[in-house]
């Protein structure tokens, strides 16, 4: 495993990187997910089971996602269609 992680093939294409911030608003856990440096314009999302929110990961991806929270908000799950 160490050989794979330290090889140049692995380092050349990191793939998409998203910032994820989880917080509790007093009623529900919410997540802000984005690939921009400034996440202030991104709308926080509650768990899909609570508010049925979803949105695309990006314009080119054409992949929608929702969020779920586990372990009292310590684990964020991005859920996509299969």
């Amino acid at each position: 495993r160490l050989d794979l992680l330290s090889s140049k093939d692995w380092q050349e294409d990191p793939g998409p990187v998203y910032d994820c911030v989880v917080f509790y608003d007093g009623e529900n856990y919410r997540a802000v997910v984005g690939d921009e440096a400034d996440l202030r314009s991104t709308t926080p999302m509650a768990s899909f089971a609570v508010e049925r929110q979803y949105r695309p990961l990006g314009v080119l991806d054409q992949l929608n996602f929702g969020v779920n929270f586990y372990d009292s908000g310590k684990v964020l799950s991005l859920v996509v269609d299969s």
Side-chain angles (χ1 to χ4, degrees), residues 8-76:
K8 287 194 175 257
D9 294 335
W10 176 261
Q11 296 173 8
E12 289 178 13
D13 183 14
V17 176
Y18 296 95
D19 293 319
C20 302
V21 178
V22 174
F23 63 94
Y24 186 70
D25 69 0
E27 293 183 23
N28 297 302
Y29 285 99
R30 297 196 178 269
V32 177
V33 179
D35 59 355
E36 300 175 13
D38 187 359
L39 295 176
R40 287 182 286 187
S41 63
T42 305
T43 303
M45 298 173 66
S47 175
F48 186 82
V50 174
E51 295 186 3
R52 300 286 191 240
Q53 295 174 316
Y54 66 91
R55 67 171 220 235
L57 274 174
V59 178
L60 298 176
D61 300 325
Q62 296 298 307
L63 180 66
N64 291 325
F65 75 98
V67 297
N68 284 323
F69 304 95
Y70 301 99
D71 197 15
S72 299
K74 293 178 186 174
V75 177
L76 169 65

